[in-house]
Amino acid sequence: MNYIWDLLIRAEEQGFARNDIHFICATSYSPYMELSPQVLNTTKIEQTIEINPYYRYSEVFKHLFQPDNVTDMEIQEYLLDIVIHFLGDIDRMQGMNRKEYFMRFLLQEFAAHTFGQAVHSYCQALTKAEQEIVALNMIRMYQTGDVIYNFKNTLKKLFPHCAVYINSENKDEVLLYIGQRQTAQREMKIQLIRTLFMPIGFTLDIYWTQHFGIVDVEDTMKIDYIALY
């Protein structure tokens, strides 16, 4: 991590709220670095971050924080923290492309119950990275109109070991083998994907830990480990 925007993104990915991070001016820092951690290559997020405010923002801070100005130190610290957070937000927005803006808007719609209370509740079972996968696949589904591909792709990314079988010739059904134990959190993930991506009229059968037998596929034909279909 070299810059404040890098640290803010990593902090958000690790579950820290914006207000959990507090920036202070380092008493000793390198003139060639913006962040001044005790361990240079650390990836651990500390809630109090020492920075060199003059690395990129000398024009902003050089008249505000003179080294010999020791009056109103508490106000200076608050002001530094507020301004650095503001500059970090500008940094992050400058690095975003159109798709990332769309993704953020979509995640805000999830949080605002625009897609319903159920979708809002199901989203709570997902990590931030998983929510972004769902949002990006929804954007791609809207852009391409390919519902089946994005339905399968979302399942594969949220359940890497799953197998998805789609029968659209006779019954319009989906057979889903998860390969993991059933939990409330995983059920909520599947319900979210089902609500947002599964084509209307399709049914879904879920097999959690035991695969149904497939003739001539040896791995699915083990005695006592076959689910009935």
Side-chain angles (χ1 to χ4, degrees), residues 35-86:
L35 302 181
S36 299
Q38 295 295 320
V39 180
L40 287 181
N41 296 322
T42 184
T43 57
K44 183 181 178 182
I45 301 296
E46 303 286 351
Q47 290 187 256
T48 299
I49 309 296
E50 292 191 352
I51 67 165
N52 169 11
Y54 309 106
Y55 179 70
R56 283 189 298 159
Y57 304 114
S58 174
E59 290 301 317
V60 177
F61 293 111
K62 66 181 180 182
H63 298 301
L64 294 175
F65 299 102
Q66 293 290 336
D68 57 347
N69 181 8
V70 293
T71 60
D72 300 322
M73 291 302 296
E74 187 175 357
I75 294 176
Q76 289 188 42
E77 288 179 7
Y78 276 116
L79 183 58
L80 174 73
D81 186 43
I82 293 169
V83 174
I84 289 295
H85 271 286
F86 178 68

Side-chain angles (χ1 to χ4, degrees), residues 141-206:
M141 182 174 67
Y142 289 146
Q143 292 174 332
T144 65
D146 193 338
V147 179
I148 296 292
Y149 172 81
N150 288 291
F151 173 59
K152 293 176 66 174
N153 185 268
T154 309
L155 282 169
K156 285 284 187 182
K157 286 188 174 174
L158 266 58
F159 299 98
H161 303 296
C162 77
V164 187
Y165 303 91
I166 294 182
N167 177 11
S168 57
E169 294 183 358
N170 302 319
K171 294 184 179 179
D172 285 346
E173 65 178 358
V174 178
L175 305 179
L176 173 61
Y177 169 66
I178 298 296
Q180 292 177 300
R181 187 170 51 84
Q182 182 178 5
T183 65
Q185 184 186 27
R186 289 168 184 155
E187 282 186 346
M188 291 175 72
K189 288 183 183 181
I190 292 174
Q191 288 302 324
L192 177 67
I193 299 170
R194 182 179 191 170
T195 303
L196 295 176
F197 292 96
M198 200 167 83
I200 295 173
F202 275 66
T203 60
L204 175 66
D205 289 331
I206 304 172

Side-chain angles (χ1 to χ4, degrees), residues 11 35 77 80 88 103 106 113 117 121 123 136 185 198 217:
L35 302 181
E77 288 179 7
L80 174 73
M103 181 187 70
L106 198 51
H113 300 192
Q117 176 63 40
S121 300
C123 278
L136 287 172
Q185 184 186 27
M198 200 167 83
V217 179

